[in-house]
Amino acid sequence: MSGGLAAGPDGVLRCPWGLATEDYVTYHDTEWGRAVHGDDALYERLCLEAFQSGLSWLTILRRREGFRTAFAGFEIAAVARFDASDAQRLLADEGIIRNRAKIEATLANAKELAGWKPGELDGLIWSHAPEEPGRAPRTVADVPAVTPESTALAKALKKAGIRFVGPTTAYALMQACGLVDDHLAGCVSRGA
């Protein structure tokens, strides 16, 4: 694979990773790179990106409904009320990734965010969107893993008390939530 656009069975040109499985086709075509707003929605994406660290995104996608069930739909106020018994329940839940550090960070982040004003997480994250859109990448190799904006976002989140987010996770969040458009030039979803 050259890392450039690829045509799917439907003949539509997409980023090559978006054709690996039907799950990826759906995620690529309907969600990745599209603007996400709202504190709970961004909290969900932040948590899922943290859980993905060191794993395949496909693993997370296929367990997404399990995560949503386990974490009360990622409603910040609800997760902030979770206690030690909930943490033990989560560690035993086969529908999610049972990583103690990631679970603890998810719960701690909810407790932190519950004290924020409505829209504050949204505002903080979106304040790190690049002012000018970058050039459309031509190949997967042209897509960075970290940018100055993602490094600044990770630092701002950490300073605000948010755990388990580094520059790479922050950039994955920026890609997933539409702060940047890393669909390849000519991809059906570019600019969607």
Side-chain angles (χ1 to χ4, degrees), residues 38-114:
D39 293 341
D40 290 340
L42 288 165
Y43 170 67
E44 175 184 1
R45 300 324 189 287
L46 184 63
C47 293
L48 293 177
E49 293 296 345
F51 272 103
Q52 185 273 330
S53 182
L55 301 171
S56 159
W57 182 245
L58 188 59
T59 301
I60 303 305
L61 273 182
R62 290 185 171 163
R63 294 182 184 204
R64 193 171 190 182
E65 289 310 313
F67 276 108
R68 285 177 170 161
T69 299
F71 289 100
F74 290 100
E75 181 186 330
I76 294 168
V79 179
R81 291 189 296 270
F82 282 19
D83 59 20
S85 66
D86 290 299
Q88 289 305 311
R89 171 185 56 81
L90 293 165
L91 284 167
D93 190 332
E94 294 181 6
I96 66 169
I97 305 302
R98 296 174 290 171
N99 177 295
R100 182 179 302 277
K102 293 175 183 182
I103 289 170
E104 288 175 355
T106 300
L107 301 184
N109 290 345
K111 289 180 189 338
E112 176 63 40
L113 291 169

Side-chain angles (χ1 to χ4, degrees), residues 14-27:
R14 293 180 177 86
C15 302
W17 65 266
L19 293 169
T21 70
E22 195 58 42
D23 295 310
Y24 274 157
V25 172
T26 301
Y27 179 68

Side-chain angles (χ1 to χ4, degrees), residues 124 152-167:
L124 174 65
L153 174 57
K155 285 179 182 176
L157 288 167
K158 285 180 184 179
K159 184 177 179 183
I162 304 303
R163 295 171 35 187
F164 221 96
V165 59

Side-chain angles (χ1 to χ4, degrees), residues 95-146:
I96 66 169
I97 305 302
R98 296 174 290 171
N99 177 295
R100 182 179 302 277
K102 293 175 183 182
I103 289 170
E104 288 175 355
T106 300
L107 301 184
N109 290 345
K111 289 180 189 338
E112 176 63 40
L113 291 169
W116 291 23
K117 295 176 184 154
E120 196 170 352
L121 177 62
D122 189 298
L124 174 65
I125 290 173
W126 277 91
S127 73
H128 289 82
E131 289 185 27
E132 296 293 324
R135 286 187 28 200
R138 294 239 172 257
T139 70
V140 174
D142 296 334
V143 178
V146 174

Side-chain angles (χ1 to χ4, degrees), residues 1-8 10-17 19 184:
M1 184 184 316
S2 69
L5 290 175
D10 57 3
V12 174
L13 294 176
R14 293 180 177 86
C15 302
W17 65 266
L19 293 169
L184 302 184

